[in-house]
PDB file of all heavy atoms in Angstrom:
ATOM      1  N   ALA A  29     -11.281  -5.928 -20.649  1.00 87.00           N
ATOM      2  CA  ALA A  29     -12.181  -6.945 -20.035  1.00 87.00           C
ATOM      3  C   ALA A  29     -13.619  -6.829 -20.440  1.00 87.00           C
ATOM      4  O   ALA A  29     -14.414  -7.773 -20.245  1.00 87.00           O
ATOM      5  CB  ALA A  29     -12.030  -6.863 -18.518  1.00 87.00           C
ATOM      6  N   MET A  67       5.107  -7.867  -6.982  1.00 86.00           N
ATOM      7  CA  MET A  67       4.632  -7.057  -5.822  1.00 86.00           C
ATOM      8  C   MET A  67       5.571  -7.111  -4.628  1.00 86.00           C
ATOM      9  O   MET A  67       5.420  -6.364  -3.682  1.00 86.00           O
ATOM     10  CB  MET A  67       3.218  -7.479  -5.402  1.00 86.00           C
ATOM     11  CG  MET A  67       2.137  -6.963  -6.339  1.00 86.00           C
ATOM     12  SD  MET A  67       1.993  -5.148  -6.292  1.00 86.00           S
ATOM     13  CE  MET A  67       1.146  -4.930  -4.735  1.00 86.00           C
ATOM     14  N   MET A  82      10.656   5.428  10.840  1.00 77.00           N
ATOM     15  CA  MET A  82      10.900   5.093  12.238  1.00 77.00           C
ATOM     16  C   MET A  82      12.266   5.570  12.739  1.00 77.00           C
ATOM     17  O   MET A  82      12.480   5.723  13.971  1.00 77.00           O
ATOM     18  CB  MET A  82      10.781   3.573  12.432  1.00 77.00           C
ATOM     19  CG  MET A  82       9.368   3.054  12.229  1.00 77.00           C
ATOM     20  SD  MET A  82       9.253   1.251  12.394  1.00 77.00           S
ATOM     21  CE  MET A  82       9.637   1.055  14.135  1.00 77.00           C
ATOM     22  N   ARG A 152      -0.624  16.983   4.463  1.00 85.00           N
ATOM     23  CA  ARG A 152       0.033  15.968   3.615  1.00 85.00           C
ATOM     24  C   ARG A 152       0.858  14.998   4.470  1.00 85.00           C
ATOM     25  O   ARG A 152       0.900  13.796   4.255  1.00 85.00           O
ATOM     26  CB  ARG A 152       0.914  16.582   2.578  1.00 85.00           C
ATOM     27  CG  ARG A 152       1.482  15.626   1.604  1.00 85.00           C
ATOM     28  CD  ARG A 152       2.340  16.269   0.533  1.00 85.00           C
ATOM     29  NE  ARG A 152       2.791  15.312  -0.349  1.00 85.00           N
ATOM     30  CZ  ARG A 152       3.853  14.482  -0.177  1.00 85.00           C
ATOM     31  NH1 ARG A 152       4.473  14.597   0.942  1.00 85.00           N
ATOM     32  NH2 ARG A 152       4.164  13.610  -1.103  1.00 85.00           N
ATOM     33  N   PHE A 154       0.174  14.178   7.567  1.00 89.00           N
ATOM     34  CA  PHE A 154      -0.841  13.296   8.213  1.00 89.00           C
ATOM     35  C   PHE A 154      -1.202  12.212   7.270  1.00 89.00           C
ATOM     36  O   PHE A 154      -1.266  10.988   7.703  1.00 89.00           O
ATOM     37  CB  PHE A 154      -2.029  14.130   8.650  1.00 89.00           C
ATOM     38  CG  PHE A 154      -3.158  13.290   9.103  1.00 89.00           C
ATOM     39  CD1 PHE A 154      -3.135  12.762  10.433  1.00 89.00           C
ATOM     40  CD2 PHE A 154      -4.238  13.008   8.325  1.00 89.00           C
ATOM     41  CE1 PHE A 154      -4.214  12.011  10.895  1.00 89.00           C
ATOM     42  CE2 PHE A 154      -5.265  12.176   8.768  1.00 89.00           C
ATOM     43  CZ  PHE A 154      -5.255  11.737  10.040  1.00 89.00           C
ATOM     44  N   TYR A 174      -3.873 -14.590   6.149  1.00 81.00           N
ATOM     45  CA  TYR A 174      -3.951 -15.020   4.748  1.00 81.00           C
ATOM     46  C   TYR A 174      -2.730 -15.824   4.382  1.00 81.00           C
ATOM     47  O   TYR A 174      -2.173 -15.673   3.252  1.00 81.00           O
ATOM     48  CB  TYR A 174      -4.101 -13.783   3.817  1.00 81.00           C
ATOM     49  CG  TYR A 174      -5.490 -13.168   3.990  1.00 81.00           C
ATOM     50  CD1 TYR A 174      -5.582 -11.944   4.733  1.00 81.00           C
ATOM     51  CD2 TYR A 174      -6.636 -13.708   3.517  1.00 81.00           C
ATOM     52  CE1 TYR A 174      -6.785 -11.342   4.872  1.00 81.00           C
ATOM     53  CE2 TYR A 174      -7.866 -13.133   3.711  1.00 81.00           C
ATOM     54  CZ  TYR A 174      -7.947 -11.933   4.416  1.00 81.00           C
ATOM     55  OH  TYR A 174      -9.165 -11.342   4.597  1.00 81.00           O
ATOM     56  N   VAL A 195      23.236 -10.872   9.618  1.00 94.00           N
ATOM     57  CA  VAL A 195      24.701 -10.790   9.746  1.00 94.00           C
ATOM     58  C   VAL A 195      25.226  -9.669   8.830  1.00 94.00           C
ATOM     59  O   VAL A 195      26.045  -8.897   9.262  1.00 94.00           O
ATOM     60  CB  VAL A 195      25.321 -12.151   9.395  1.00 94.00           C
ATOM     61  CG1 VAL A 195      26.853 -12.005   9.257  1.00 94.00           C
ATOM     62  CG2 VAL A 195      24.992 -13.213  10.440  1.00 94.00           C
ATOM     63  N   ILE A 232      13.431  -8.135   3.909  1.00 92.00           N
ATOM     64  CA  ILE A 232      14.623  -7.666   3.281  1.00 92.00           C
ATOM     65  C   ILE A 232      14.833  -6.163   3.572  1.00 92.00           C
ATOM     66  O   ILE A 232      15.942  -5.719   3.854  1.00 92.00           O
ATOM     67  CB  ILE A 232      14.547  -7.904   1.730  1.00 92.00           C
ATOM     68  CG1 ILE A 232      14.452  -9.415   1.457  1.00 92.00           C
ATOM     69  CG2 ILE A 232      15.728  -7.285   1.015  1.00 92.00           C
ATOM     70  CD1 ILE A 232      14.097  -9.718  -0.030  1.00 92.00           C
ATOM     71  N   ALA A 235      16.369  -5.431   6.861  1.00 92.00           N
ATOM     72  CA  ALA A 235      17.753  -5.839   6.999  1.00 92.00           C
ATOM     73  C   ALA A 235      18.726  -4.837   6.304  1.00 92.00           C
ATOM     74  O   ALA A 235      19.947  -4.917   6.568  1.00 92.00           O
ATOM     75  CB  ALA A 235      17.931  -7.265   6.405  1.00 92.00           C
ATOM     76  N   VAL A 268       1.377  -1.945 -13.444  1.00 92.00           N
ATOM     77  CA  VAL A 268       1.318  -3.319 -14.011  1.00 92.00           C
ATOM     78  C   VAL A 268       0.353  -4.159 -13.159  1.00 92.00           C
ATOM     79  O   VAL A 268      -0.534  -4.918 -13.679  1.00 92.00           O
ATOM     80  CB  VAL A 268       2.710  -3.962 -14.076  1.00 92.00           C
ATOM     81  CG1 VAL A 268       2.582  -5.481 -14.384  1.00 92.00           C
ATOM     82  CG2 VAL A 268       3.526  -3.278 -15.138  1.00 92.00           C
ATOM     83  N   PHE A 285     -22.940 -13.048  -4.718  1.00 79.00           N
ATOM     84  CA  PHE A 285     -22.111 -12.480  -3.697  1.00 79.00           C
ATOM     85  C   PHE A 285     -22.321 -10.926  -3.659  1.00 79.00           C
ATOM     86  O   PHE A 285     -21.389 -10.159  -3.521  1.00 79.00           O
ATOM     87  CB  PHE A 285     -20.653 -12.768  -3.950  1.00 79.00           C
ATOM     88  CG  PHE A 285     -20.288 -14.225  -3.734  1.00 79.00           C
ATOM     89  CD1 PHE A 285     -20.290 -15.143  -4.778  1.00 79.00           C
ATOM     90  CD2 PHE A 285     -19.977 -14.659  -2.446  1.00 79.00           C
ATOM     91  CE1 PHE A 285     -20.022 -16.453  -4.538  1.00 79.00           C
ATOM     92  CE2 PHE A 285     -19.707 -15.970  -2.239  1.00 79.00           C
ATOM     93  CZ  PHE A 285     -19.674 -16.893  -3.275  1.00 79.00           C
ATOM     94  N   GLY A 291     -20.433  -4.953   1.186  1.00 96.00           N
ATOM     95  CA  GLY A 291     -19.541  -4.885   2.355  1.00 96.00           C
ATOM     96  C   GLY A 291     -18.281  -4.146   2.025  1.00 96.00           C
ATOM     97  O   GLY A 291     -17.835  -3.306   2.814  1.00 96.00           O
ATOM     98  N   VAL A 304     -11.302   6.862  10.423  1.00 97.00           N
ATOM     99  CA  VAL A 304     -10.184   7.795  10.431  1.00 97.00           C
ATOM    100  C   VAL A 304     -10.594   9.076  11.173  1.00 97.00           C
ATOM    101  O   VAL A 304      -9.868   9.535  12.112  1.00 97.00           O
ATOM    102  CB  VAL A 304      -9.676   8.122   9.033  1.00 97.00           C
ATOM    103  CG1 VAL A 304      -8.672   9.229   9.042  1.00 97.00           C
ATOM    104  CG2 VAL A 304      -9.051   6.867   8.380  1.00 97.00           C
ATOM    105  N   ARG A 326     -12.366  20.362   8.909  1.00 94.00           N
ATOM    106  CA  ARG A 326     -12.902  20.076   7.591  1.00 94.00           C
ATOM    107  C   ARG A 326     -11.836  19.490   6.598  1.00 94.00           C
ATOM    108  O   ARG A 326     -12.154  18.651   5.791  1.00 94.00           O
ATOM    109  CB  ARG A 326     -13.637  21.306   7.006  1.00 94.00           C
ATOM    110  CG  ARG A 326     -12.746  22.528   6.918  1.00 94.00           C
ATOM    111  CD  ARG A 326     -13.550  23.708   6.485  1.00 94.00           C
ATOM    112  NE  ARG A 326     -12.774  24.951   6.372  1.00 94.00           N
ATOM    113  CZ  ARG A 326     -12.551  25.796   7.367  1.00 94.00           C
ATOM    114  NH1 ARG A 326     -13.084  25.511   8.581  1.00 94.00           N
ATOM    115  NH2 ARG A 326     -11.826  26.871   7.198  1.00 94.00           N
ATOM    116  N   SER A 367     -13.538   3.250  -4.562  1.00 93.00           N
ATOM    117  CA  SER A 367     -12.385   4.092  -4.760  1.00 93.00           C
ATOM    118  C   SER A 367     -12.630   5.272  -5.643  1.00 93.00           C
ATOM    119  O   SER A 367     -12.148   6.392  -5.292  1.00 93.00           O
ATOM    120  CB  SER A 367     -11.193   3.212  -5.327  1.00 93.00           C
ATOM    121  OG  SER A 367     -10.840   2.209  -4.450  1.00 93.00           O
ATOM    122  N   GLY A 374     -13.910  13.074  -1.888  1.00 95.00           N
ATOM    123  CA  GLY A 374     -12.835  13.638  -1.145  1.00 95.00           C
ATOM    124  C   GLY A 374     -12.249  14.906  -1.802  1.00 95.00           C
ATOM    125  O   GLY A 374     -12.005  15.895  -1.124  1.00 95.00           O
ATOM    126  N   THR A 381     -13.105  23.399   0.913  1.00 92.00           N
ATOM    127  CA  THR A 381     -12.666  23.794   2.291  1.00 92.00           C
ATOM    128  C   THR A 381     -11.242  24.293   2.331  1.00 92.00           C
ATOM    129  O   THR A 381     -10.896  25.033   3.288  1.00 92.00           O
ATOM    130  CB  THR A 381     -12.829  22.606   3.215  1.00 92.00           C
ATOM    131  OG1 THR A 381     -12.005  21.511   2.772  1.00 92.00           O
ATOM    132  CG2 THR A 381     -14.289  22.198   3.346  1.00 92.00           C
ATOM    133  N   THR A 394       9.023  17.753   9.498  1.00 39.00           N
ATOM    134  CA  THR A 394      10.209  16.997   9.348  1.00 39.00           C
ATOM    135  C   THR A 394      10.184  16.180   7.993  1.00 39.00           C
ATOM    136  O   THR A 394      10.978  15.312   7.812  1.00 39.00           O
ATOM    137  CB  THR A 394      10.437  16.026  10.479  1.00 39.00           C
ATOM    138  OG1 THR A 394       9.318  15.155  10.582  1.00 39.00           O
ATOM    139  CG2 THR A 394      10.665  16.759  11.808  1.00 39.00           C
TER     140      THR A 394
END
Side-chain angles (χ1 to χ4, degrees):
M67 282 296 284
M82 293 177 66
R152 186 179 183 281
F154 172 79
Y174 293 104
V195 170
I232 297 167
V268 168
F285 289 95
V304 169
R326 55 186 180 272
S367 297
T381 60
T394 57

